[in-house]
Amino acid sequence: MHTVTRRRFLIGSAQLALVASAGAACARPPRPELSGLAHDVPPAAWSDLARRLSGPVLRPGAASWTRIVTPNNLVFNAFPAGVARCANPNDVAQSILWAREYTVPFVARCGGHNYAGYSTTPGLMIDLGPLNRVDFDPATGIATVGGGVLNSTLYPALQRLGVTITHGRCPTVGVGGFFLGGGIGFNMRAHGLACDQLRATQIVTADGQVRTVDAGSKLFWACRGGAGGNFGINTSFSVQTFKVPARLTVFSLSWTDRPRDVYRALMDTLTAGPAGLGSRLQITAGQKPSVQLLGQLVGTPDEVESLLRRAKTIAKPASEEVRPMDYWAAQTEFLEELGSPGFYQERSRFFADALSDAAIDTAFDWARRWPGTTQGSHMVLFQTGEQVNALPREATAFVHRNSKWLMTINLSWGTDTSDELLAQNREWLDKFYAAMIAFATPGSYQNFPDPSLANYLESYYLTNLPELRRVKRDVDPTRVFIYPQAIPPA
Ligand SMILES: Cc1cc2nc3c(=O)[nH]c(=O)nc-3n(C[C@H](O)[C@H](O)[C@H](O)COP(=O)(O)OP(=O)(O)OC[C@H]3O[C@@H](n4cnc5c(N)ncnc54)[C@H](O)[C@@H]3O)c2cc1C
């Protein structure tokens, strides 16, 4: 995940040019059925849609239009011709059927945080925002979360119940994309991925049917890591919660002195750490790279200190915070400064083990060569392992079950970055990424979609791809649900 600060810029003309070139760079497969251009849709058709729905249909200029349609990654800021604000599953079904009837391209939108803009369209945006209920069954501990819920709604609801799930840190990420693509967070090493905690989902398929699927259904299997936008539109997710840990210590440290050796030490001790440890280890690119560590441990400050001892002996941290905290106070602290829209690109890869000396040297070497923007660039490692690897590869569509770390290299820029400088940055990112994948497994995280990945289907789904294609053939043979990296039918 990129670290977005609130110093973001609004879209300007330079970026509009970029939107066009980014779109051209993606090899878009033809949209077999929904090839109609949105501007061909007659006004009467929009009235027809409005008549079919309980929720409102918005057209450009409507109140809240910009807030609703703007995606998190402004590189892909394409405006829809209309938005269906779906109030219930029937609204979703009617929107799909309407789009098919009038051959209007469409996408589902939950939080709009797809890295590659796959919840944007020039056609109909099926906005799940009003599906924002969180219900809870105290007997089973299962929470049923509406398909349009954002983390900012989910966290307070779970907090009131004294339970949690595996979740991320950004308040504006939606559950729609998050659950369907896997769902990583600091709780995953102790409790598995968010998709592992799913018990059922309600989904509207291409034929407009509202189905509830659970264990034993291949469609349910596909919804546990097959990524949003492939099989239907999920209107709710039933997820097994667990009690919040009674004792939690959070830590946030940075080092500017001897960063390479500190990083080596942290890499070794964290990799061997207990399942209750969730961590994120970052190299900030620049002539003098620095190291940041953020995380939580279900345990005491002394236990955290023993994990940090070796690194702190090598160099004194430039900043340091280790303190016991209430679980939800800690999560509030973590989400500070995350999630504002901006311009960015991110490339990911899983590592099967601690990075070798050669991999670490390569990372620092490339970090030093960053051409620079006024924003930032980081190589971030999210600590996986433990319960993430507990299930066999074929148990869910999420296939990456043999990793210890998930790497992303991110690049952010603003409207003040020239096209020439951006091109240099992109070239640097590609070379840095190529150098790192020499040490990595073949897998990339499907929830960090990367338009520049050549063999994206194999990288996201590995050995589960053939089965995912069979599910696609069974539920959406004519590819009603499609986007540039969509799973094709078998
Ligand atoms: C700032 C930031 C922080 C992030 N943090 C984390 C993190 O901590 N852990 C993690 O695992 N990932 C994280 N991500 C990645 C995130 O999980 C994915 O980008 C996810 O797809 C976003 O979901 P969304 O609903 O917000 O996005 P959207 O763009 O709305 O949707 C993503 C995709 O899913 C489809 N979709 C959305 N809702 C539904 C639905 N209900 N039914 C069917 N299809 C749907 C969309 O059409 C699109 O193809 C982060 C991303 C950002 C930008």
Side-chain angles (χ1 to χ4, degrees), residues 12-271:
S13 53
Q15 271 61 38
L16 286 171
L18 255 176
V19 172
S21 61
C26 305
R28 287 175 194 261
R31 184 182 281 271
E33 185 182 338
L34 302 175
S35 56
L37 287 173
H39 60 249
D40 290 340
V41 182
W46 293 108
S47 309
D48 180 29
L49 178 62
R51 267 193 303 276
R52 296 188 197 187
L53 304 189
S54 315
V57 174
L58 308 184
R59 300 299 309 282
S64 309
W65 175 260
T66 305
R67 180 184 59 78
I68 290 170
V69 303
T70 305
N72 189 259
N73 190 346
L74 296 177
V75 174
F76 302 100
N77 199 4
F79 293 115
V83 174
R85 296 268 292 156
C86 294
N88 53 47
N90 183 56
D91 280 2
V92 174
Q94 290 302 323
S95 299
I96 295 170
L97 295 174
W98 177 91
R100 295 188 67 174
E101 205 174 310
Y102 290 96
T103 60
V104 178
F106 72 88
V107 288
R109 166 69 63 87
C110 182
H113 277 50
N114 188 286
Y115 283 180
Y118 296 151
S119 62
T120 57
T121 176
L124 177 68
M125 175 184 292
I126 301 183
D127 175 21
L128 305 166
L131 298 174
N132 61 1
R133 281 179 66 103
V134 179
D135 295 309
F136 185 65
D137 178 355
T140 58
I142 290 178
T144 299
V145 180
V149 165
L150 305 184
N151 283 341
S152 54
T153 301
L154 183 61
Y155 297 165
L158 295 179
Q159 182 173 9
R160 279 192 293 275
L161 297 162
V163 297
T164 191
I165 60 171
T166 292
H167 57 81
R169 295 165 49 225
C170 174
T172 43
V173 164
V175 297
F178 180 76
F179 278 129
L180 293 167
I184 66 163
F186 285 150
N187 293 331
M188 68 182 152
R189 300 181 74 245
H191 297 277
L193 299 160
C195 72
D196 300 345
Q197 293 150 14
L198 275 184
R199 294 295 172 264
T201 183
Q202 187 182 62
I203 180 168
V204 186
T205 42
D207 52 7
Q209 263 198 62
V210 182
R211 310 169 191 222
T212 298
V213 292
D214 55 17
S217 151
K218 276 293 174 192
L219 180 53
F220 180 62
W221 175 88
C223 290
R224 299 173 90 188
N230 278 305
F231 303 101
I233 299 182
N234 301 65
T235 45
S236 72
F237 300 92
S238 296
V239 55
Q240 183 68 60
T241 63
F242 52 89
K243 287 208 178 320
V244 294
R247 278 181 327 169
L248 194 76
T249 300
V250 299
F251 48 94
S252 174
L253 299 96
S254 68
W255 282 264
T256 48
D257 292 342
R258 300 187 62 195
R260 189 262 177 223
D261 297 337
V262 167
Y263 193 86
R264 168 79 275 159
L266 289 172
M267 170 66 53
D268 293 338
T269 44
L270 294 170
T271 306

Side-chain angles (χ1 to χ4, degrees), residues 465-474 476-477 487-490:
L465 180 60
E467 185 62 16
L468 282 163
R469 294 189 61 172
R470 284 191 284 274
V471 178
K472 180 75 174 175
R473 177 197 61 201
D474 293 346
D476 183 19
I487 296 170

Side-chain angles (χ1 to χ4, degrees), residues 255-257 259-260 283-292 363-365 367-368:
W255 282 264
T256 48
D257 292 342
R260 189 262 177 223
I283 301 172
T284 297
Q287 281 176 353
K288 291 187 174 169
S290 57
V291 168
Q292 290 78 34
F364 275 89
D365 182 29
R368 270 184 220 105

